Amino acid sequence: MSDTSIVLRIIPVSYLSGLGLRRPHRMIERHVMAYRRQWLIVVSGFFEPLFYLLSMRAGVGDLVGDVSVAGRSVPYDAFVAPALMASSAMNGAIFDSTGNVLHRLKYARIYDAALATPMGPADVAVGEISWALIRGQIYAIGFLAVMAAMGLTESWWSLMALPVCALIGLTFASIGFLGTTYMRGWSDMEIVNTLMMPLFLFSATFFPISSYGGWAWVVQLSPLYHGVALVRACNAGVWTASLVVHALVLLVISVVMLAWGSRRIDRLLRR
Amino acid sequence: MPEPLIVARGLKKRFDDFEAVKGIDVEVQPGEVFGFLGPNGAGKSSTMRMIACVSPASEGTLRLFGMDPAVDGAKIRARIGVVPQLDTLDTELSVQENLWIYGRYFDLSRAECRRRATELLEFAQLTDRADSVVEHLSGGMKRRLSIARSLINEPELLLLDEPTTGLDPQARHVLWERLYRLKQQGVTQVLTTHYMDEAEQLCDRLVVMDQGLIVAEGSPRELIDQYSTREVLELRFGAGTNDQFGPQVVGIGDRFEVLPDRVLVYADDGEAALAEAHHRGLRPESALVRRSSLEDVFLLLTGRSLAD
């Protein structure tokens, strides 16, 4: 744990303040202003995982029966629900940090305008990633409420899934933001969609990691896998030492991507 | 003499292997309207971006308000207003929201943002469009909104990169009048333009830039007096034949210049030059005597017209 806190201390604070991290919340303020008129777009992102969940309960669950997780047997929908919750946090974060950031960066030139003020590149990067994280968190809260209503939460520990989803959102928002700084145009958004699908399907989302056999190590490369494992543990209220590793993986990815993304945006905007 | 607001010494800007600005010295005094004049690619916009503290200088020193952009970029930007060459208005926000959020970027309170936005909408003649979506504004309105937005922090220095490019004549005059008002209020302005009339109208002092270097400096009047004759005789001999008639005007004025569509004869007395041309038997399709302008200065200094 101490290693991470050192990284956290060294990289973002001194590094990001060098890139002008002082008022990232202004970026969020701008988005709240813009989305007041388009709140429907925000809400719509919540439905996709919800429909998946309903289909799992209605059909697939009956066919599959119970699944064994950490030595316990749980109904299939209770197995899949936490994974879908983690996925919805990922979706919210990715969609905002890629397509919307690309639009603001290359076409609307929102950041160029902001950087003519005391705002700095790190304000833009941290502000955008925070906004994407917030959006992912909104979906996670909605999803958890639905899970509770459907009787899929097992204890109050399920609430712990919310901060975990914030971490997942942070991870994917940082990755999405960095990736977007390398995009040449809209056609590159296809790459995002192509990458998201296998991530969603093969992060031990729909079947336990044991079923991947010799390919389990590939699954472990997916950041979503670590997120899914954490949300599942929260929902079951089962705590193991391996959870610390999962959280560390996400944290380290976030920190590195965030610092790298800030550097990239500085290069792009302050030529 | 007060402390100059901008001081640049040996300022250079390189992009990979291309040198856009090749070492320029500039001083701008408080209250002055200062212009960078030059064709596209002269290095004007690169210079402006360095002054706006959004582009680090590759070499040389730059000081604004006595501060170094590399150290105090944010502090300097807090005191300047920028009107970029291409509008960077927020198309997802309304006209007044554009002003509000911009004020917030400068850490103004919400109440202060609203108060200033109301005043600035008045100034930009956009009060009745306050709730409009930016996309639906005309080019001139967008430009005025850009200027209004750049004033939200009550800047001491206003940077305008080609403020009237792409605007119709009426919209340009409205804009010039607004800029003149700001000058009267004591706002220092630095602008780039490739319009001669704009430079003559607005600038107290200007530099002519060409290929990354400053080739002349002075007030519009000084530059004309120094580099050109009082008057210019324009002779048009018809397309494709100007080359051939050019040499026949040798000695009529101080010097001459052959352009694709006309021959320019520089002389203090244009009418006398025309009489001499007629006397030599030259029969141009049309002839015109006019006063020298910055266009002529530019032509002499760079050998090219500004429109290139």
Side-chain angles (χ1 to χ4, degrees), chain A residues 72 78 81-82 85-86 137 140-141 143-149 151-166 230-239:
Chain A
R72 302 180 325 133
M85 182 175 176
Q137 190 69 8
I141 292 170
F143 199 86
L144 189 63
V146 173
M147 273 173 69
L152 294 172
T153 49
E154 296 184 36
S155 70
W156 285 104
W157 283 118
S158 298
L159 283 174
M160 279 298 289
L162 291 178
V164 166
C165 281
L230 284 167
V231 179
R232 221 163 243 159
C234 293
N235 198 42
V238 179
W239 309 103

Side-chain angles (χ1 to χ4, degrees), chain A residues 23 29-30 37 117 271, chain B residues 55 77 90 97 104 107:
Chain A
R23 35 181 88 69
E29 202 175 324
R30 183 259 160 210
R37 256 181 251 109
T117 73
R271 288 192 71 222
Chain B
S55 171
R77 291 198 300 273
D90 198 325
E97 282 172 340
R104 297 293 286 160
D107 295 330

Side-chain angles (χ1 to χ4, degrees), chain A residues 130-148:
Chain A
S130 306
W131 170 253
L133 186 164
I134 289 168
R135 198 162 160 181
Q137 190 69 8
I138 291 170
Y139 298 150
I141 292 170
F143 199 86
L144 189 63
V146 173
M147 273 173 69

Side-chain angles (χ1 to χ4, degrees), chain A residues 91-156:
Chain A
N91 285 338
I94 283 283
F95 284 134
D96 218 280
S97 65
T98 55
N100 289 343
V101 167
L102 183 66
H103 171 70
R104 293 173 201 138
L105 174 67
K106 280 208 158 55
Y107 304 98
R109 303 207 153 268
I110 303 284
Y111 308 143
D112 287 292
L115 289 194
T117 73
M119 299 270 287
D123 290 323
V124 169
V126 174
E128 288 297 37
I129 289 166
S130 306
W131 170 253
L133 186 164
I134 289 168
R135 198 162 160 181
Q137 190 69 8
I138 291 170
Y139 298 150
I141 292 170
F143 199 86
L144 189 63
V146 173
M147 273 173 69
M150 288 169 70
L152 294 172
T153 49
E154 296 184 36
S155 70
W156 285 104

Side-chain angles (χ1 to χ4, degrees), chain B residues 82-155:
Chain B
V82 178
V83 181
Q85 194 176 114
L86 298 171
D87 288 317
T88 57
L89 296 168
D90 198 325
T91 51
E92 284 172 76
L93 302 178
S94 72
V95 168
Q96 62 181 350
E97 282 172 340
N98 261 279
L99 298 176
W100 293 344
I101 195 63
Y102 221 63
R104 297 293 286 160
Y105 291 161
F106 284 97
D107 295 330
L108 302 178
S109 72
R110 286 196 179 80
E112 186 62 17
C113 287
R114 280 167 192 273
R115 190 186 68 72
R116 292 191 190 179
T118 308
E119 275 177 27
L120 288 170
L121 286 175
E122 197 71 43
F123 171 80
Q125 297 167 293
L126 286 169
T127 304
D128 54 336
R129 304 301 295 265
D131 292 314
S132 299
V133 180
V134 166
E135 269 178 315
H136 299 158
L137 299 183
S138 71
M141 287 176 177
K142 281 185 186 168
R143 220 60 194 136
R144 294 204 307 269
L145 179 57
S146 280
I147 292 176
R149 190 181 70 170
S150 73
L151 297 172
I152 195 85
N153 58 325
E154 296 177 348

